[in-house]
Amino acid sequence: MTRILSSLFYINSMRKTSEEFNSENLCSENLIKNIWILCGEEPVTEELPYWETINRYLERVDSEKLQEVMHSLCRTLLRSRAFGDMRIRGNYWQVIIDGTQLHSTRKELDGESLHRTHNRGTEREYRENYYYVLEAKLVLHPKILVSIQTEFVDNEDGKEMEKQDCERKACWRLMEKLKKAFPRLPICLCADSLYACEGFFERCKEKNWRYILRYKEGSIPTIGAEYRELKKREKNYQEQIWENGKKGKCEIAPKRILVSYGFAGHQKKRRRSDRAGKDEMENRE
């Protein structure tokens, strides 16, 4: 509960949370009483546990249990309808996927940690071991993002992993878990260009999810080249009246660019099949 409230009050660290919540003023006293009420417990102390005590407790709690607590919290928030206005097009809940490095050290970690080599081939070469986690955050407000699913990026064979490859694999696992936990939730996934690939689009289609991806030069070169070519050929501009009374031009993306990415091979096979059928009919005639 303390972790959740620190996020809601925009407090950046648990140390600051302990200081703010346990300060000697009337607001803090009422806050602590309300926390006991929310937890459904009788007050046994007049102050909250210190942040280090909370962290030590969380270290002993099973990660799956913690994940279920977050799922329960998200379900309650979604059912409250207090954040309904944040849905995209009035229907889809925005879920942002992003990776974060949690801890790094030159010391040995467990077998599932990732590692990379710095200053390779020089006298200053060293190996950095680190943990990397993929987070899916539910957007309830521009300043309120709640973790809805977490998946650690694992080192599957102990080798120095390619970040792009292992992060995508973690994303596939995260998507499956998220769908299992919220099977009927209409979701719009938002992510960076790392996930602009057929595997991501296919999985979203299977789950009936929508998506918004940031475009980066070179991430999907075929689509990028097609868009630039269509932009040159098609003058899709729409006149708009601005507030100052002056007219301006608003660029509209060419409609033909809005095609399903990843099905080019299927379309080519279909065209070849159609041509073969047509040739066969002509030969018969």
Side-chain angles (χ1 to χ4, degrees), residues 42-125:
E42 290 293 329
V44 296
T45 179
E46 296 181 354
E47 63 179 11
L48 296 179
Y50 196 58
W51 67 275
E52 289 183 333
T53 303
I54 297 175
N55 284 344
R56 283 196 294 268
Y57 170 77
L58 292 175
E59 288 175 356
R60 298 197 301 268
V61 179
D62 182 76
S63 59
E64 294 297 327
K65 296 294 183 181
L66 288 176
Q67 186 67 82
E68 183 54 40
V69 170
M70 297 307 300
H71 287 165
S72 178
L73 168 66
C74 290
R75 292 189 188 101
T76 301
L77 293 173
L78 291 169
R79 291 169 182 167
S80 70
R81 300 184 180 181
F83 303 97
D85 292 341
M86 283 300 299
R87 290 179 294 181
I88 297 176
R89 295 182 178 178
N91 186 34
Y92 298 98
W93 291 96
Q94 183 181 7
V95 175
I96 299 176
I97 296 180
D98 196 15
T100 303
Q101 181 174 307
L102 296 180
H103 176 69
S104 66
T105 179
R106 297 190 186 188
K107 297 179 181 179
E108 290 292 332
L109 298 175
D110 59 62
E112 295 183 349
S113 64
L114 305 180
H115 66 268
R116 52 178 166 245
T117 303
H118 295 270
N119 305 318
R120 189 185 300 273
T122 68
E123 295 180 354
R124 297 187 300 164
E125 177 179 324

Coordinates of all heavy atoms in Angstrom, one line a residue, residues 42-125:
E42 N -6.7 -3.5 12.1 CA -6.7 -2.6 13.2 C -5.4 -1.9 13.4 O -4.3 -2.6 13.3 CB -7.1 -3.4 14.5 CG -8.5 -3.9 14.5 CD -9.5 -2.7 14.6 OE1 -9.2 -1.7 15.2 OE2 -10.6 -2.9 14.1
P43 N -5.3 -0.6 13.7 CA -4.1 0.1 13.9 C -3.2 -0.5 15.0 O -3.7 -0.8 16.1 CB -4.5 1.5 14.2 CG -5.9 1.6 13.7 CD -6.5 0.3 13.9
V44 N -2.0 -0.8 14.8 CA -1.1 -1.4 15.8 C 0.1 -0.5 16.0 O 0.9 -0.7 16.9 CB -0.6 -2.8 15.4 CG1 -1.8 -3.8 15.4 CG2 0.1 -2.8 14.0
T45 N 0.3 0.5 15.2 CA 1.4 1.5 15.3 C 0.9 2.8 14.7 O 0.0 2.9 13.9 CB 2.6 1.0 14.6 OG1 3.6 2.0 14.7 CG2 2.3 0.8 13.1
E46 N 1.6 3.9 15.2 CA 1.2 5.2 14.8 C 2.1 5.7 13.6 O 2.0 6.9 13.3 CB 1.3 6.2 16.0 CG 0.3 5.9 17.1 CD 0.4 6.9 18.2 OE1 1.3 7.7 18.2 OE2 -0.5 6.8 19.1
E47 N 3.0 4.9 13.1 CA 3.8 5.2 12.0 C 4.0 4.1 11.0 O 3.7 2.9 11.4 CB 5.2 5.7 12.5 CG 6.0 4.6 13.2 CD 7.3 5.1 13.6 OE1 7.6 6.3 13.5 OE2 8.2 4.3 14.0
L48 N 4.3 4.4 9.8 CA 4.5 3.4 8.8 C 5.9 2.8 8.9 O 6.8 3.4 9.4 CB 4.3 4.0 7.4 CG 3.0 4.5 7.1 CD1 2.9 5.1 5.7 CD2 1.9 3.4 7.2
P49 N 6.1 1.5 8.5 CA 7.4 0.9 8.5 C 8.4 1.7 7.6 O 8.0 2.3 6.6 CB 7.1 -0.5 7.9 CG 5.7 -0.7 8.1 CD 5.0 0.6 8.0
Y50 N 9.6 1.7 8.1 CA 10.6 2.4 7.3 C 10.9 1.7 6.0 O 10.6 0.5 5.8 CB 11.9 2.5 8.1 CG 12.9 3.5 7.6 CD1 12.6 4.8 7.6 CD2 14.2 3.1 7.2 CE1 13.5 5.8 7.1 CE2 15.1 4.1 6.8 CZ 14.8 5.4 6.7 OH 15.6 6.3 6.3
W51 N 11.3 2.5 5.0 CA 11.4 2.0 3.6 C 12.3 0.7 3.5 O 12.0 -0.2 2.7 CB 11.9 3.1 2.7 CG 13.3 3.5 2.9 CD1 13.8 4.5 3.8 CD2 14.5 3.0 2.2 NE1 15.1 4.6 3.7 CE2 15.6 3.7 2.8 CE3 14.7 2.1 1.2 CZ2 16.9 3.5 2.3 CZ3 16.0 1.9 0.8 CH2 17.1 2.6 1.3
E52 N 13.4 0.7 4.3 CA 14.2 -0.5 4.3 C 13.5 -1.8 4.8 O 13.7 -2.9 4.3 CB 15.5 -0.3 5.0 CG 16.5 0.7 4.4 CD 17.7 0.9 5.2 OE1 17.7 0.7 6.4 OE2 18.8 1.3 4.5
T53 N 12.7 -1.6 5.8 CA 11.9 -2.7 6.3 C 10.9 -3.2 5.3 O 10.8 -4.4 5.1 CB 11.1 -2.2 7.6 OG1 12.0 -1.7 8.5 CG2 10.3 -3.4 8.2
I54 N 10.3 -2.3 4.5 CA 9.4 -2.7 3.5 C 10.1 -3.5 2.4 O 9.6 -4.5 1.9 CB 8.7 -1.4 2.9 CG1 7.8 -0.8 3.9 CG2 7.8 -1.8 1.7 CD1 7.2 0.5 3.5
N55 N 11.3 -3.0 2.0 CA 12.1 -3.7 1.0 C 12.5 -5.1 1.4 O 12.5 -6.0 0.6 CB 13.3 -2.8 0.6 CG 12.9 -1.6 -0.3 OD1 11.8 -1.6 -0.9 ND2 13.8 -0.7 -0.4
R56 N 12.9 -5.2 2.7 CA 13.3 -6.5 3.2 C 12.1 -7.5 3.2 O 12.3 -8.7 2.9 CB 13.9 -6.4 4.6 CG 15.3 -5.8 4.6 CD 16.0 -6.1 5.9 NE 15.4 -5.3 7.0 CZ 15.7 -4.1 7.4 NH1 16.7 -3.5 6.8 NH2 15.1 -3.5 8.4
Y57 N 10.9 -7.0 3.5 CA 9.7 -7.8 3.4 C 9.4 -8.3 2.0 O 9.1 -9.4 1.8 CB 8.6 -7.1 4.0 CG 7.2 -7.8 3.8 CD1 6.9 -8.8 4.6 CD2 6.4 -7.3 2.8 CE1 5.7 -9.5 4.4 CE2 5.2 -8.0 2.6 CZ 4.8 -9.0 3.4 OH 3.6 -9.7 3.2
L58 N 9.5 -7.3 1.1 CA 9.2 -7.6 -0.3 C 10.1 -8.6 -0.9 O 9.8 -9.4 -1.8 CB 9.2 -6.3 -1.2 CG 8.1 -5.3 -0.9 CD1 8.3 -4.1 -1.7 CD2 6.7 -6.0 -1.1
E59 N 11.4 -8.7 -0.4 CA 12.4 -9.6 -0.9 C 12.0 -11.1 -0.6 O 12.4 -12.0 -1.3 CB 13.7 -9.3 -0.3 CG 14.4 -8.1 -0.9 CD 15.7 -7.7 -0.2 OE1 16.0 -8.4 0.8 OE2 16.3 -6.8 -0.6
R60 N 11.2 -11.2 0.5 CA 10.8 -12.6 0.9 C 9.5 -13.0 0.3 O 9.1 -14.2 0.4 CB 10.7 -12.7 2.4 CG 12.0 -12.4 3.1 CD 12.0 -12.9 4.6 NE 10.9 -12.2 5.3 CZ 11.0 -11.1 6.1 NH1 12.2 -10.5 6.1 NH2 10.0 -10.6 6.7
V61 N 8.7 -12.1 -0.3 CA 7.4 -12.4 -0.9 C 7.6 -13.0 -2.3 O 8.4 -12.5 -3.1 CB 6.5 -11.2 -1.0 CG1 5.2 -11.5 -1.6 CG2 6.3 -10.6 0.4
D62 N 6.9 -14.1 -2.6 CA 7.0 -14.7 -4.0 C 6.5 -13.7 -5.0 O 5.5 -13.0 -4.9 CB 6.0 -15.9 -4.0 CG 6.1 -16.6 -5.3 OD1 7.1 -17.3 -5.6 OD2 5.2 -16.4 -6.2
S63 N 7.3 -13.7 -6.1 CA 7.1 -12.7 -7.2 C 5.7 -12.8 -7.8 O 5.1 -11.9 -8.2 CB 8.2 -12.8 -8.2 OG 8.2 -14.1 -8.8
E64 N 5.2 -14.1 -7.9 CA 3.9 -14.3 -8.5 C 2.8 -13.8 -7.6 O 1.8 -13.3 -8.2 CB 3.7 -15.8 -8.7 CG 4.6 -16.5 -9.8 CD 4.4 -15.9 -11.2 OE1 3.3 -15.5 -11.5 OE2 5.4 -15.8 -11.9
K65 N 3.0 -13.8 -6.3 CA 2.0 -13.3 -5.4 C 2.0 -11.7 -5.6 O 0.9 -11.1 -5.6 CB 2.4 -13.6 -4.0 CG 2.3 -15.1 -3.7 CD 0.9 -15.6 -3.8 CE 0.9 -17.1 -3.4 NZ -0.5 -17.7 -3.5
L66 N 3.1 -11.1 -5.7 CA 3.2 -9.7 -5.9 C 2.5 -9.3 -7.2 O 1.8 -8.3 -7.3 CB 4.6 -9.2 -5.9 CG 5.3 -9.2 -4.5 CD1 6.8 -8.7 -4.7 CD2 4.6 -8.2 -3.6
Q67 N 2.7 -10.1 -8.3 CA 2.1 -9.8 -9.6 C 0.6 -9.9 -9.5 O -0.1 -9.1 -10.0 CB 2.6 -10.8 -10.6 CG 2.2 -10.5 -12.0 CD 2.7 -9.2 -12.6 OE1 3.8 -9.2 -13.1 NE2 1.9 -8.1 -12.5
E68 N 0.1 -10.9 -8.7 CA -1.3 -11.0 -8.6 C -1.9 -9.8 -7.8 O -3.1 -9.4 -8.1 CB -1.7 -12.3 -7.9 CG -3.2 -12.6 -7.7 CD -3.9 -12.5 -9.0 OE1 -3.4 -13.0 -10.0 OE2 -5.0 -12.0 -9.0
V69 N -1.2 -9.3 -6.8 CA -1.6 -8.1 -6.1 C -1.8 -6.9 -7.1 O -2.8 -6.2 -7.0 CB -0.6 -7.7 -5.0 CG1 -1.0 -6.4 -4.4 CG2 -0.7 -8.8 -3.9
M70 N -0.8 -6.8 -8.0 CA -0.9 -5.7 -9.0 C -2.1 -5.9 -9.9 O -2.8 -5.0 -10.3 CB 0.4 -5.6 -9.8 CG 1.6 -5.2 -8.9 SD 1.3 -3.7 -7.9 CE 1.0 -2.5 -9.2
H71 N -2.3 -7.2 -10.3 CA -3.5 -7.5 -11.2 C -4.8 -7.1 -10.5 O -5.7 -6.5 -11.1 CB -3.5 -9.0 -11.5 CG -2.4 -9.3 -12.5 ND1 -2.1 -10.7 -12.7 CD2 -1.7 -8.6 -13.3 CE1 -1.1 -10.7 -13.7 NE2 -0.9 -9.4 -14.0
S72 N -4.9 -7.5 -9.2 CA -6.1 -7.2 -8.4 C -6.3 -5.7 -8.3 O -7.4 -5.2 -8.5 CB -6.0 -7.8 -7.0 OG -7.1 -7.5 -6.3
L73 N -5.2 -4.9 -8.1 CA -5.3 -3.5 -8.0 C -5.8 -2.9 -9.3 O -6.7 -2.0 -9.4 CB -3.9 -2.9 -7.7 CG -3.8 -1.3 -7.8 CD1 -4.6 -0.6 -6.8 CD2 -2.3 -0.9 -7.7
C74 N -5.2 -3.4 -10.5 CA -5.6 -2.8 -11.8 C -7.1 -3.1 -12.1 O -7.8 -2.3 -12.6 CB -4.7 -3.4 -12.8 SG -3.0 -2.8 -12.8
R75 N -7.5 -4.3 -11.7 CA -8.9 -4.7 -12.0 C -9.9 -3.8 -11.2 O -10.9 -3.3 -11.7 CB -9.2 -6.1 -11.6 CG -8.5 -7.2 -12.4 CD -9.0 -8.6 -12.1 NE -8.1 -9.6 -12.8 CZ -7.2 -10.3 -12.3 NH1 -6.9 -10.1 -11.0 NH2 -6.5 -11.1 -13.0
T76 N -9.5 -3.5 -9.9 CA -10.3 -2.6 -9.1 C -10.4 -1.2 -9.7 O -11.4 -0.6 -9.8 CB -9.8 -2.5 -7.7 OG1 -9.8 -3.8 -7.1 CG2 -10.6 -1.6 -6.8
L77 N -9.2 -0.7 -10.2 CA -9.2 0.7 -10.8 C -10.0 0.7 -12.1 O -10.7 1.7 -12.4 CB -7.7 1.1 -11.0 CG -6.9 1.3 -9.8 CD1 -5.4 1.5 -10.2 CD2 -7.4 2.5 -9.0
L78 N -9.9 -0.3 -12.9 CA -10.6 -0.4 -14.2 C -12.1 -0.4 -13.9 O -12.9 0.2 -14.6 CB -10.1 -1.6 -15.0 CG -8.7 -1.5 -15.5 CD1 -8.3 -2.8 -16.1 CD2 -8.6 -0.4 -16.6
R79 N -12.5 -1.2 -13.0 CA -14.0 -1.4 -12.7 C -14.6 -0.1 -12.1 O -15.8 0.1 -12.1 CB -14.2 -2.6 -11.8 CG -13.9 -3.9 -12.5 CD -13.9 -5.1 -11.6 NE -13.6 -6.3 -12.2 CZ -13.3 -7.5 -11.6 NH1 -13.2 -7.5 -10.3 NH2 -13.0 -8.6 -12.3
S80 N -13.7 0.7 -11.4 CA -14.3 1.9 -10.8 C -14.7 2.9 -11.8 O -15.5 3.8 -11.4 CB -13.1 2.5 -9.9 OG -12.1 3.1 -10.7
R81 N -14.3 2.8 -13.0 CA -14.7 3.8 -14.1 C -14.2 5.2 -13.8 O -14.7 6.1 -14.5 CB -16.2 3.7 -14.3 CG -16.7 2.3 -14.7 CD -18.2 2.4 -15.1 NE -18.6 1.0 -15.4 CZ -19.9 0.7 -15.8 NH1 -20.8 1.7 -15.8 NH2 -20.2 -0.5 -16.1
A82 N -13.4 5.4 -12.9 CA -12.9 6.7 -12.6 C -11.9 7.2 -13.6 O -11.8 8.5 -13.8 CB -12.2 6.7 -11.2
F83 N -11.3 6.3 -14.4 CA -10.4 6.8 -15.4 C -10.8 6.5 -16.8 O -10.0 6.4 -17.7 CB -9.0 6.0 -15.1 CG -8.5 6.3 -13.8 CD1 -8.7 5.3 -12.8 CD2 -7.8 7.4 -13.5 CE1 -8.2 5.5 -11.5 CE2 -7.2 7.6 -12.2 CZ -7.4 6.7 -11.2
G84 N -12.1 6.3 -17.0 CA -12.7 6.0 -18.3 C -12.3 6.9 -19.4 O -12.2 6.6 -20.6
D85 N -12.1 8.2 -19.1 CA -11.8 9.2 -20.1 C -10.5 9.0 -20.7 O -10.2 9.6 -21.7 CB -11.9 10.6 -19.5 CG -13.4 11.0 -19.1 OD1 -14.3 10.3 -19.6 OD2 -13.6 11.9 -18.3
M86 N -9.6 8.2 -20.1 CA -8.3 8.0 -20.6 C -8.2 6.9 -21.7 O -7.2 6.7 -22.3 CB -7.3 7.6 -19.5 CG -6.9 8.8 -18.6 SD -6.0 10.1 -19.5 CE -4.6 9.2 -20.2
R87 N -9.3 6.3 -22.0 CA -9.3 5.3 -23.0 C -9.2 5.9 -24.4 O -9.7 6.9 -24.7 CB -10.6 4.4 -22.9 CG -10.7 3.5 -21.7 CD -12.0 2.8 -21.7 NE -13.1 3.6 -21.5 CZ -14.4 3.2 -21.4 NH1 -14.6 1.9 -21.5 NH2 -15.3 4.1 -21.2
I88 N -8.4 5.2 -25.2 CA -8.2 5.6 -26.6 C -9.4 5.4 -27.4 O -9.9 4.2 -27.4 CB -6.9 4.9 -27.2 CG1 -5.7 5.3 -26.4 CG2 -6.8 5.3 -28.7 CD1 -4.4 4.6 -26.9
R89 N -9.9 6.4 -28.1 CA -11.2 6.3 -28.9 C -12.3 5.8 -28.0 O -13.3 5.2 -28.6 CB -11.0 5.4 -30.1 CG -10.0 6.0 -31.1 CD -9.9 5.1 -32.3 NE -8.9 5.6 -33.3 CZ -8.6 5.1 -34.4 NH1 -9.1 3.9 -34.7 NH2 -7.8 5.7 -35.3
G90 N -12.3 6.1 -26.7 CA -13.3 5.7 -25.9 C -13.5 4.2 -25.6 O -14.4 3.8 -24.9
N91 N -12.5 3.4 -26.0 CA -12.6 2.0 -25.9 C -11.4 1.3 -25.4 O -11.4 0.5 -24.5 CB -13.0 1.3 -27.2 CG -13.3 -0.1 -27.1 OD1 -13.8 -0.6 -26.1 ND2 -13.0 -0.9 -28.1
Y92 N -10.2 1.6 -25.9 CA -9.0 0.8 -25.7 C -8.2 1.5 -24.6 O -7.9 2.7 -24.6 CB -8.1 0.7 -27.0 CG -8.8 0.0 -28.1 CD1 -9.5 0.7 -29.1 CD2 -8.9 -1.4 -28.1 CE1 -10.2 0.0 -30.1 CE2 -9.5 -2.1 -29.1 CZ -10.2 -1.4 -30.1 OH -10.8 -2.1 -31.1
W93 N -7.7 0.6 -23.6 CA -6.8 1.1 -22.6 C -5.4 1.1 -23.0 O -4.9 0.1 -23.6 CB -7.0 0.2 -21.3 CG -8.3 0.3 -20.7 CD1 -9.4 -0.5 -20.8 CD2 -8.7 1.3 -19.7 NE1 -10.4 -0.1 -20.1 CE2 -10.1 1.0 -19.4 CE3 -8.1 2.4 -19.2 CZ2 -10.7 1.8 -18.5 CZ3 -8.8 3.2 -18.3 CH2 -10.1 2.9 -17.9
Q94 N -4.7 2.2 -22.8 CA -3.3 2.3 -23.3 C -2.4 1.6 -22.3 O -2.4 1.9 -21.1 CB -3.0 3.8 -23.4 CG -1.6 4.0 -23.9 CD -1.2 5.5 -24.0 OE1 -2.0 6.4 -23.5 NE2 -0.1 5.8 -24.6
V95 N -1.6 0.7 -22.8 CA -0.6 0.0 -22.1 C 0.8 0.2 -22.7 O 1.0 -0.1 -23.9 CB -0.9 -1.5 -22.0 CG1 0.2 -2.2 -21.3 CG2 -2.2 -1.7 -21.3
I96 N 1.7 0.8 -22.0 CA 3.0 1.2 -22.5 C 4.0 0.1 -22.1 O 4.1 -0.3 -21.0 CB 3.5 2.5 -22.0 CG1 2.6 3.6 -22.4 CG2 4.9 2.8 -22.4 CD1 2.9 5.0 -21.8
I97 N 4.8 -0.4 -23.1 CA 5.8 -1.4 -22.9 C 7.2 -0.8 -23.0 O 7.5 -0.2 -24.0 CB 5.7 -2.6 -23.9 CG1 4.3 -3.3 -23.7 CG2 6.8 -3.6 -23.7 CD1 4.1 -4.5 -24.6
D98 N 8.0 -1.0 -22.0 CA 9.3 -0.5 -22.1 C 10.3 -1.3 -21.1 O 9.8 -1.9 -20.1 CB 9.4 1.0 -21.6 CG 10.6 1.7 -22.1 OD1 11.4 1.2 -22.9 OD2 10.9 2.8 -21.5
G99 N 11.5 -1.3 -21.5 CA 12.5 -2.1 -20.7 C 13.3 -1.1 -19.8 O 13.6 0.0 -20.1
T100 N 13.7 -1.7 -18.6 CA 14.5 -0.9 -17.7 C 15.6 -1.8 -17.1 O 15.3 -2.9 -16.7 CB 13.6 -0.4 -16.5 OG1 12.6 0.4 -17.1 CG2 14.4 0.5 -15.6
Q101 N 16.8 -1.3 -17.0 CA 17.9 -2.0 -16.3 C 17.8 -1.7 -14.8 O 17.8 -0.5 -14.4 CB 19.3 -1.5 -16.8 CG 20.4 -2.2 -16.2 CD 21.8 -1.9 -16.8 OE1 21.9 -2.0 -18.0 NE2 22.7 -1.4 -16.0
L102 N 17.7 -2.7 -14.0 CA 17.5 -2.6 -12.6 C 18.8 -2.5 -11.8 O 18.9 -1.8 -10.8 CB 16.6 -3.7 -12.0 CG 15.2 -3.8 -12.6 CD1 14.5 -5.0 -12.0 CD2 14.4 -2.6 -12.3
H103 N 19.7 -3.3 -12.1 CA 21.0 -3.4 -11.3 C 22.1 -3.9 -12.2 O 21.9 -4.8 -13.1 CB 20.7 -4.4 -10.2 CG 21.9 -4.7 -9.3 ND1 22.5 -3.8 -8.5 CD2 22.7 -5.8 -9.2 CE1 23.5 -4.3 -7.9 NE2 23.7 -5.5 -8.3
S104 N 23.3 -3.4 -12.0 CA 24.5 -3.8 -12.7 C 25.7 -3.9 -11.8 O 25.8 -3.1 -10.8 CB 24.8 -2.9 -13.9 OG 25.1 -1.6 -13.4
T105 N 26.5 -4.8 -12.0 CA 27.7 -5.0 -11.2 C 28.8 -5.8 -12.0 O 28.4 -6.5 -12.9 CB 27.4 -5.7 -9.9 OG1 28.5 -5.9 -9.1 CG2 26.8 -7.1 -10.2
R106 N 30.0 -5.7 -11.5 CA 31.1 -6.5 -12.1 C 31.1 -7.9 -11.4 O 31.8 -8.8 -11.9 CB 32.4 -5.8 -12.0 CG 32.5 -4.5 -12.8 CD 33.9 -4.0 -12.9 NE 33.9 -2.7 -13.5 CZ 35.1 -2.0 -13.9 NH1 36.2 -2.6 -13.7 NH2 35.0 -0.9 -14.5
K107 N 30.4 -8.0 -10.3 CA 30.4 -9.3 -9.6 C 29.5 -10.3 -10.3 O 28.6 -9.9 -11.1 CB 29.9 -9.1 -8.2 CG 30.8 -8.1 -7.3 CD 30.2 -8.0 -5.9 CE 31.1 -7.0 -5.1 NZ 30.5 -6.9 -3.7
E108 N 29.7 -11.5 -10.0 CA 28.9 -12.6 -10.6 C 27.5 -12.5 -10.0 O 27.3 -12.4 -8.8 CB 29.5 -14.0 -10.4 CG 30.8 -14.2 -11.2 CD 30.5 -14.3 -12.6 OE1 29.4 -14.7 -13.0 OE2 31.4 -14.0 -13.4
L109 N 26.5 -12.7 -10.9 CA 25.1 -12.8 -10.5 C 24.6 -14.2 -10.8 O 25.4 -15.1 -11.1 CB 24.2 -11.7 -11.2 CG 24.6 -10.3 -10.9 CD1 23.8 -9.3 -11.7 CD2 24.4 -9.9 -9.4
D110 N 23.3 -14.4 -10.7 CA 22.8 -15.8 -11.0 C 22.8 -16.0 -12.5 O 23.1 -15.1 -13.3 CB 21.4 -15.9 -10.5 CG 20.4 -14.9 -11.1 OD1 20.2 -14.9 -12.3 OD2 19.8 -14.1 -10.3
G111 N 22.5 -17.3 -12.9 CA 22.7 -17.7 -14.3 C 21.7 -17.0 -15.3 O 21.9 -17.1 -16.5
E112 N 20.6 -16.4 -14.7 CA 19.6 -15.8 -15.6 C 19.9 -14.3 -15.9 O 19.2 -13.7 -16.7 CB 18.3 -15.9 -15.0 CG 17.8 -17.3 -14.8 CD 16.4 -17.4 -14.3 OE1 15.9 -16.4 -13.8 OE2 15.8 -18.5 -14.3
S113 N 21.0 -13.7 -15.3 CA 21.3 -12.3 -15.5 C 22.0 -12.2 -16.9 O 22.5 -13.1 -17.5 CB 22.2 -11.8 -14.4 OG 23.5 -12.5 -14.5
L114 N 21.9 -11.0 -17.4 CA 22.5 -10.7 -18.7 C 23.9 -10.1 -18.5 O 24.2 -9.7 -17.3 CB 21.7 -9.6 -19.5 CG 20.2 -10.0 -19.7 CD1 19.5 -8.8 -20.5 CD2 20.1 -11.3 -20.5
H115 N 24.7 -10.1 -19.5 CA 26.0 -9.5 -19.3 C 26.5 -8.9 -20.7 O 26.1 -9.3 -21.7 CB 27.1 -10.5 -18.8 CG 27.3 -11.6 -19.7 ND1 26.6 -12.8 -19.7 CD2 28.3 -11.8 -20.7 CE1 27.1 -13.6 -20.7 NE2 28.1 -13.0 -21.3
R116 N 27.4 -8.0 -20.6 CA 28.0 -7.4 -21.8 C 29.5 -7.0 -21.4 O 29.9 -6.8 -20.3 CB 27.3 -6.1 -22.2 CG 27.1 -5.1 -21.1 CD 26.3 -3.9 -21.7 NE 25.9 -3.1 -20.6 CZ 24.6 -2.8 -20.3 NH1 23.6 -3.3 -21.1 NH2 24.2 -2.1 -19.3
T117 N 30.3 -7.0 -22.5 CA 31.7 -6.7 -22.3 C 32.1 -5.3 -22.8 O 31.6 -4.9 -23.8 CB 32.6 -7.7 -23.1 OG1 32.2 -9.0 -22.7 CG2 34.1 -7.5 -22.9
H118 N 32.8 -4.6 -21.9 CA 33.2 -3.2 -22.2 C 34.7 -3.1 -22.6 O 35.4 -3.9 -22.0 CB 32.9 -2.3 -21.0 CG 31.4 -2.1 -20.7 ND1 30.6 -1.2 -21.3 CD2 30.6 -2.8 -19.9 CE1 29.4 -1.3 -20.8 NE2 29.4 -2.3 -19.9
N119 N 35.0 -2.2 -23.4 CA 36.4 -2.0 -23.8 C 37.1 -3.3 -24.3 O 38.2 -3.6 -23.9 CB 37.2 -1.4 -22.6 CG 36.6 -0.2 -22.1 OD1 36.2 0.7 -22.8 ND2 36.6 0.0 -20.7
R120 N 36.3 -4.0 -25.1 CA 36.8 -5.3 -25.6 C 38.1 -5.2 -26.3 O 38.3 -4.3 -27.2 CB 35.7 -5.9 -26.5 CG 36.0 -7.4 -26.9 CD 35.0 -7.9 -27.9 NE 33.6 -7.8 -27.4 CZ 33.1 -8.8 -26.7 NH1 33.8 -9.9 -26.4 NH2 31.8 -8.6 -26.2
G121 N 39.0 -6.1 -26.0 CA 40.3 -6.1 -26.7 C 41.3 -5.2 -26.2 O 42.4 -5.0 -26.7
T122 N 41.0 -4.5 -25.1 CA 41.9 -3.5 -24.5 C 42.3 -4.0 -23.1 O 41.7 -4.9 -22.5 CB 41.3 -2.1 -24.4 OG1 40.3 -2.1 -23.5 CG2 40.8 -1.7 -25.8
E123 N 43.3 -3.3 -22.5 CA 43.7 -3.6 -21.1 C 42.6 -3.3 -20.1 O 42.5 -3.8 -19.0 CB 44.9 -2.8 -20.7 CG 46.1 -3.2 -21.6 CD 47.4 -2.4 -21.2 OE1 47.2 -1.4 -20.3 OE2 48.5 -2.7 -21.7
R124 N 41.6 -2.4 -20.5 CA 40.5 -2.0 -19.6 C 39.3 -2.8 -19.8 O 38.2 -2.5 -19.3 CB 40.2 -0.5 -19.8 CG 41.4 0.4 -19.4 CD 40.9 1.9 -19.5 NE 40.4 2.2 -20.8 CZ 39.7 3.3 -21.1 NH1 39.3 4.1 -20.1 NH2 39.3 3.5 -22.3
E125 N 39.4 -3.9 -20.5 CA 38.2 -4.8 -20.7 C 37.7 -5.3 -19.4 O 38.4 -5.8 -18.6 CB 38.6 -5.9 -21.7 CG 37.5 -6.9 -22.0 CD 37.8 -8.0 -22.9 OE1 38.6 -7.7 -23.8 OE2 37.4 -9.2 -22.7

